[in-house]
Amino acid sequence: MVIRIRWAVGYGLFAAVILTLLSGVHYTHQQQMLQNQKDDSLRAIAGLLEVSIPAKGSSALAIKKRMEAILADHPDLELKSAMIKIYDGSRSALFSSSIMEEDSLQMTEPMWTVALSGRTTFSTVYRYNIGSVRTIVVPVFREGGVLYVIQVGSSIRSIKTAMQDLLVLNLWFIPIAALLAGIGGGWMTKRVLKPLDRVAAMACEVSSENLSRCVVDERADKEIQGLTEAFNQMINRLEKSFHQMRDFSDNVSHELRMLLSILRGETELCLLQRRSVEEYRKTLENNLEQMLRMEEVIEKLLFLSKVDRGEMELHQMEFDLFFVIKEVISQVELTAKGKKVAIHLRAGSSTLIHGDPILMRGAILNLVQNAITYTPPGGEVSLFIEKEINEARVTVADTGLGIPGNEIPYIFERFYRADQSYSSSRGSGLGLSIVKWIVESHRGRIAVDSVVGKGSRFTMILPLSSF
Ligand code: ADP
């Protein structure tokens, strides 16, 4: 069901329930009020007759005359239309008003008993010829006893008719009012939803090709504008990640195509003519190196995609940075020696931190490999471990090419390679983004200080184990 119809039905039902409750309360209250009015008027008539009734010893004729005189003289219409009966102490009727038939009012046994006990009673009886009649039975005391009993009755047909009219009115009024409330509710909902329709139409025009397009509705209310703003922000985020994805796949394809074309070029060149075993061996070695680089790039990509999916788990434990660095040095010693780059380690006592030692070794290895790669032969790579009050600082410093100041902010981005490193055959531009993630996942940070032509210092600042 469309929302407009749902709201219209809801409004209608709500109005119907409320109106039914209110009408019910009003109906009951009205009925009670009319009945009270009738009782008051019966009580007043009985009171008038009671004070006017002659004293003990009056004959039935005298009483009848007195009553007829009262009925004739009194201007009260209620009195004139009332059915009156007066009984003596032995339940014989002394007087009956002329407007009623013989059996219109009847004194039942319980009424009589209550009257003799000195109490007034009200009751409603149904008489087939005149309908429902409300009666009052009042004892009249004279000289210490109940001398007469007055019974006054009055038809309550007018009350019944009034209540029936009210009921019919309500039965018409409630459905009509509920229908109008439903129509009004539907109309209001349509008005409220109109700006949303406009926003939805504009949103439909936004596709992956024109994500930069904004949804703007000048006429919309504040709430709807909040919605469009949230929608635009979401589109901006989507656009950003679309661009990132495009850049990422461009970079991946570029990187892998470059490695593959080197591999292909070398292989094709080798196959152009018959070669010596030594030459074949050299080509295979070069190819193997390219394949290892491809493998390295793919592994780094897989690592980063795991990081992006939030699936990278840290195998936490306490470990000594000193031993991790020693391991890294022994791993790169041969490469450094081959490149004639000296490696020095300056470390104090053991430095315990909490985290994943394998990931940390990978991060330090990356920094050291970069340092060796970007340092010309004859240069130096130094590693320092320093302990502060609550943090450890691991520095990898080299006397290499250095990084231009304007490029430093970008070197931690994926696939970013500073200009001078493009000439180098190594490197995919992924290493430092992985290092940054590892350091940050150990609640640390990384700082770079570099001077072109003099060298670079990468410092990892990590919280000590006890903090
Ligand atoms: P790569 O695999 O290309 O080294 P990284 O992400 O590790 O990728 O490094 C990004 C870029 O930062 C490198 O291409 C290089 O230009 C620069 N860089 C990193 N370390 C050094 C360093 N020690 N000396 C000079 N430049 C460096």
Side-chain angles (χ1 to χ4, degrees):
M1 212 194 294
V2 286
I3 194 164
R4 227 166 43 215
I5 296 176
R6 261 204 332 250
W7 275 83
V9 172
Y11 272 118
L13 285 178
F14 184 69
V17 170
I18 295 291
L19 287 172
T20 308
L21 285 175
L22 288 178
S23 309
V25 171
H26 178 243
Y27 184 89
T28 326
H29 176 258
Q30 195 70 10
Q31 193 176 34
Q32 195 60 49
M33 202 182 73
L34 290 175
Q35 192 161 316
N36 288 347
Q37 274 176 4
K38 180 61 88 181
D39 288 355
D40 287 347
S41 113
L42 288 177
R43 194 181 280 116
I45 293 169
L48 175 71
L49 298 175
E50 189 186 355
V51 293
S52 315
I53 208 158
K56 190 176 181 181
S58 303
S59 66
L61 189 66
I63 290 172
K64 192 174 178 221
K65 279 200 169 148
R66 179 89 183 104
M67 291 299 126
E68 277 169 357
I70 291 170
L71 289 177
D73 295 348
H74 212 279
D76 188 352
L77 279 176
E78 275 282 335
L79 178 63
K80 288 192 193 322
S81 63
M83 296 172 257
I84 301 166
K85 249 184 170 178
I86 297 176
Y87 300 87
D88 63 9
S90 57
R91 207 171 160 181
S92 316
L94 299 175
F95 170 77
S96 287
S97 55
S98 57
I99 67 149
M100 62 180 184
E101 291 168 22
E102 196 47 42
D103 62 345
S104 295
L105 276 189
Q106 279 198 347
M107 177 65 74
T108 60
E109 198 53 48
M111 283 179 189
W112 183 253
T113 319
V114 174
L116 286 188
S117 71
R119 281 178 289 141
T120 300
T121 46
F122 282 99
S123 56
T124 305
V125 290
Y126 180 78
R127 311 251 46 107
Y128 74 96
N129 48 351
I130 48 172
S132 294
V133 176
R134 185 79 175 155
T135 61
I136 183 172
V137 177
V138 181
V140 179
F141 290 91
R142 290 286 185 274
E143 294 160 23
V146 177
L147 187 61
Y148 304 110
V149 173
I150 302 172
Q151 186 178 26
V152 184
S154 177
S155 163
I156 52 171
R157 189 182 284 153
S158 60
I159 298 181
K160 288 248 151 129
T161 314
M163 294 321 294
Q164 261 167 14
D165 288 351
L166 187 63
L167 190 68
V168 171
L169 188 75
N170 282 344
L171 286 178
W172 276 102
F173 170 73
I174 293 173
I176 291 174
L179 190 73
L180 289 178
I183 293 171
W187 178 77
M188 259 164 59
T189 315
K190 192 177 169 187
R191 261 184 72 99
V192 170
L193 292 180
K194 208 164 187 164
L196 280 183
D197 287 344
R198 281 202 300 271
V199 172
M202 284 186 244
C204 281
E205 288 168 20
V206 178
S207 67
S208 62
E209 271 67 48
N210 62 355
L211 275 174
S212 50
R213 191 180 164 153
C214 283
V215 171
V216 185
D217 188 359
E218 304 285 346
R219 287 175 293 163
D221 297 330
K222 221 172 162 193
E223 289 82 355
I224 303 291
Q225 275 179 4
L227 183 78
T228 54
E229 257 165 46
F231 182 80
N232 287 335
Q233 280 167 11
M234 188 189 80
I235 293 287
N236 280 344
R237 284 198 298 274
L238 269 178
E239 189 184 14
K240 224 170 147 188
S241 47
F242 256 64
H243 279 305
Q244 271 174 358
M245 264 163 62
R246 274 186 203 159
D247 289 352
F248 190 73
S249 43
D250 280 358
N251 285 325
V252 171
S253 331
H254 175 81
E255 192 63 34
L256 292 180
R257 196 179 57 189
M258 191 188 76
L259 292 172
L260 274 174
S261 46
I262 296 173
L263 201 62
R264 184 179 156 190
E266 294 232 355
T267 313
E268 279 176 351
L269 193 71
C270 175
L271 290 174
L272 273 180
Q273 61 188 78
R274 189 176 268 280
R275 311 259 172 197
S276 68
V277 173
E278 208 39 52
E279 282 172 323
Y280 281 128
R281 185 182 185 81
K282 184 97 184 91
T283 307
L284 281 177
E285 274 171 6
N286 283 344
N287 285 358
L288 182 66
E289 196 188 324
Q290 296 311 323
M291 283 186 238
L292 287 174
R293 279 193 60 196
M294 269 169 76
E295 197 182 351
E296 190 188 313
V297 171
I298 289 167
E299 260 168 25
K300 283 179 177 168
L301 284 172
L302 286 174
F303 183 97
L304 285 169
S305 97
K306 249 183 160 182
V307 165
D308 290 346
R309 287 202 307 270
E311 286 174 7
M312 200 65 215
E313 277 178 29
L314 261 64
H315 301 286
Q316 303 263 13
M317 61 178 80
E318 193 179 62
F319 63 92
D320 194 337
L321 274 173
F322 180 77
F323 291 114
V324 172
I325 289 174
K326 284 286 259 184
E327 262 179 50
V328 170
I329 291 176
S330 59
Q331 207 172 331
V332 295
E333 236 161 14
L334 266 181
T335 324
K337 217 174 188 174
K339 220 193 144 184
K340 296 196 171 56
V341 173
I343 298 194
H344 307 289
L345 170 62
R346 296 193 182 110
S349 55
S350 74
T351 309
L352 296 176
I353 70 158
H354 204 82
D356 187 326
I358 297 178
L359 286 183
M360 191 48 72
R361 194 182 62 192
I364 298 171
L365 179 67
N366 211 301
L367 292 181
V368 177
Q369 275 175 340
N370 275 354
I372 296 171
T373 307
Y374 301 111
T375 300
E380 276 181 23
V381 173
S382 311
L383 284 104
F384 306 90
I385 309 178
E386 292 155 302
K387 245 170 44 174
E388 312 246 311
I389 306 165
N390 53 6
E391 37 186 46
R393 287 171 170 262
V394 177
T395 305
V396 180
D398 63 61
T399 56
L401 301 175
I403 309 164
N406 59 339
E407 302 207 46
I408 289 180
Y410 306 107
I411 56 173
F412 292 100
E413 284 179 13
R414 292 179 190 183
F415 291 107
Y416 189 84
R417 283 188 283 178
D419 265 352
Q420 80 263 23
S421 61
Y422 272 90
S423 52
S424 140
S425 59
R426 273 198 63 81
S428 57
L430 292 171
L432 285 182
S433 54
I434 292 178
V435 172
K436 188 166 184 268
W437 181 84
I438 294 174
V439 172
E440 284 173 357
S441 65
H442 282 74
R443 294 182 292 127
R445 59 191 194 280
I446 184 161
V448 191
D449 188 11
S450 185
V451 179
V452 176
K454 289 209 161 163
S456 314
R457 284 173 80 88
F458 285 80
T459 307
M460 299 196 298
I461 301 129
L462 301 159
L464 282 171
S465 180
S466 45
F467 286 88

